[in-house]
Amino acid sequence: MTDAHPARSTEFLSRLYDGELDAAEDAAFAAHRAECGECRRAAEAFAAALALFRAEPTAPAAPDLSARILRKIRAQAPSRRPFGVTFGIDIRWAGVFVAALLVVLLAAPLLLRREPLAPGKPAAMTARLVDGTPGPPAAAPEKREESRLQGAAPRRAPAAPPA
């Protein structure tokens, strides 16, 4: 007990009548109450109020109490429409779309993987230039090979005249 008049605290009186005080606190308050008229009257008033409360019969709650409480809560805070309903989106189809998108994003790097180049070896690119002028007919592959082996330069198509 740190207060000069502990009976001024309803918390202390509640602990006293609930039997939650330890023996030292209970003995100290009994000694204080014997000498202090204010604490004696406060403890007696608390005991009388507690006795009246405990003597009063309890009535069961109305069967529709929870429904009335929910109605009042809903009336005060109108419910929000779900996101999908607001924007006209069916949540099931949105889930399917997201799953398909994830499959595409995760599978694309695996499907588009290219073989790494050997160090020092440039990437081989095949290109064919097409212009509007007809060139000489291409030689057969074996003739080209023979002309290369003989040191002759391969034929090239003549450049188109500037227009």
Side-chain angles (χ1 to χ4, degrees), residues 31-79:
H32 176 77
R33 182 171 43 184
E35 297 178 7
C36 179
E38 180 185 347
C39 288
R40 189 173 35 256
R41 284 187 300 277
E44 289 169 359
F46 188 84
L50 187 61
L52 282 173
F53 176 74
R54 289 181 177 165
E56 189 66 28
T58 57
D64 66 335
L65 179 64
S66 61
R68 286 187 296 160
I69 291 172
L70 285 173
R71 254 194 320 270
K72 285 193 177 191
I73 290 172
R74 288 183 181 138
Q76 291 174 358
S79 63

Side-chain angles (χ1 to χ4, degrees), residues 1-6 12 25:
M1 281 187 330
T2 57
D3 190 12
H5 297 284
F12 178 81
E25 283 181 312

Side-chain angles (χ1 to χ4, degrees), residues 127-133:
R128 185 174 145 202
L129 297 176
V130 179
D131 59 0
T133 59

Side-chain angles (χ1 to χ4, degrees), residues 138-150:
E142 52 279 341
K143 288 186 180 178
R144 271 193 242 147
E145 191 64 34
E146 288 174 11
S147 64
R148 235 182 258 141
L149 291 174
Q150 295 172 359

